[in-house]
Amino acid sequence: MFDVLVVGGGAAGFFAAINICENSPNLNVAILERGKEVLTKVKVSGGGRCNVTHAEFMPSELVKNYPRGEKELLGPFHTFCSGDIVAFFEKRGIALKIEEDGRMFPTTNSSQTIIDCFLNEVKRLGITVLKNSSVVDIAPSELKENPSGWRVQSYKKAYETKKLLVATGSNTKIWKIMEDLGHTIEPPVPSLFTFNITDDRIKGIQGVSTNARVLVKPKIFNNSKILVSLKSQLPKTPILESEGPLLITHWGMSGPAILKLSAWGAQILNGYKYHFKIRVNWIPEYHIGGVLPLLMEIKEVETKKTVLRTNAVELPKRLWINLVKASGIADSTKWADVSKNQLQKLADQLTKSEFSVEGKSTFKEEFVTAGGVDLKEINFKTFESKIHPNLYFAGEVINVDAITGGFNFQNAWTGGYIAAKAIASF
């Protein structure tokens, strides 16, 4: 029998196990990992460099990066925040660095540094790691000597434990087991994805990046059961809007502006089956009413120059050329000869270009899912289940997810730490 079983050999599971034994060295702790390797997501994070956390050290600001979990994580972040995980690694001789966008990596630029740290700590603390131990069932213990404990059945054998921490990430089989135990599971949908778009305006200019404002247009479903009176109440404002760097790719659009929309709109865009329209303002410092007078002024000043070769606003040259062509302005057209109607079309292209999104693609190596154990069923002072005593959660198994930048790992560290403190107190 174990004092504590941790199901899941990832970031949250390892960090929790280490902190349990740091607080109570005499406890018999084991980690069950379904695969033949542990910490696989840590290994690929940040392109193999491991984006450990983000350089946002104020809990009230940090929580704003979590589409699901913002309210619930405020208290936990006051207990264990970004600075605390930095201190954890520094204590073990691992320095972290801050990059321009706020992401934090080990100075070695290798995720293996983080993995080796965890493996060394597990060995030092005497934590048992059981690989190839996929869990098939979890149930309250029936043994008299383990009251209020748990029986965990793997493919190999059954284990008894006094306390159980589930840190299995987006594992649908474990979610089904939790549901059978009475927990509510928010249906999982993808988060952090890029938009698939086929459009001549962005064709052949992959790699171009610029600051833009992007909004998702509300989708009107053709349903004969919807009454006319209800149709008149459709939202007039965008349901989702984001501003930031937008990257044009081989398959469409990516970059922070798009990823934020995919995270905050995970449920909505899933409902749209990833087919919807977006509107892009390529020059967010301008609105439609302000751009036309600017273009009219340039027409008066740059009479002899061609529109195509005169970038009137701060835009990457290749993007400007494509938007000019999309406005019906020929390559050889000079500013003096361009019509007001053509300038109006150009102003529209610059400030409200519409694109059809026809699917999604996974963002790099990020595999983030919105969904999991309902947050109302978790005590965030301990990360213990409100339904079952001695059952704890950490990481993405609960309905918390974040935008890219190290925030999902911070959720894992914080949940693992707080659950460990609570578990180690017995």
Side-chain angles (χ1 to χ4, degrees), residues 201 213 215 217 278-284 286-289 291 323 344-355:
R201 289 168 292 178
R213 183 181 301 124
L215 64 85
K217 296 189 68 178
I278 60 171
R279 180 177 291 173
V280 181
N281 183 346
W282 297 105
I283 45 174
Y286 291 95
H287 58 81
I288 183 65
V291 176
L323 295 178
Q344 180 65 61
K345 289 181 179 179
L346 179 56
D348 289 347
Q349 287 293 341
L350 291 168
T351 58
K352 54 178 185 178
S353 293
E354 288 199 3
F355 296 88

Side-chain angles (χ1 to χ4, degrees), residues 15 101 116 161 209 222 262 305 378 405:
F15 194 66
D101 58 3
D116 289 344
T161 183
S209 179
N222 293 322
S262 72
K305 292 183 179 180
I378 298 167

Side-chain angles (χ1 to χ4, degrees), residues 392-404:
Y392 299 79
F393 301 101
E396 290 180 42
V397 69
I398 65 177
N399 187 27
V400 168
D401 63 285
I403 62 174
T404 185

Side-chain angles (χ1 to χ4, degrees), residues 220-235:
I220 301 174
F221 294 95
N222 293 322
N223 189 332
S224 59
K225 294 182 180 179
I226 298 179
L227 302 177
V228 174
S229 59
L230 290 179
K231 288 183 179 180
S232 65
Q233 296 173 17
L234 287 169

Side-chain angles (χ1 to χ4, degrees), residues 81-102:
C81 202
S82 311
D84 298 299
I85 193 64
V86 174
F88 172 88
F89 285 114
E90 284 185 346
K91 183 180 177 181
R92 290 155 179 81
I94 298 171
L96 303 182
K97 61 177 179 177
I98 303 172
E99 301 204 336
E100 286 186 9
D101 58 3

Side-chain angles (χ1 to χ4, degrees), residues 133-138 152-155 173-174 177:
S133 296
S134 185
V135 171
V136 295
D137 190 41
I138 296 172
V152 179
Q153 178 70 54
S154 77
Y155 278 123
K173 291 181 180 178
I174 299 298
I177 292 172

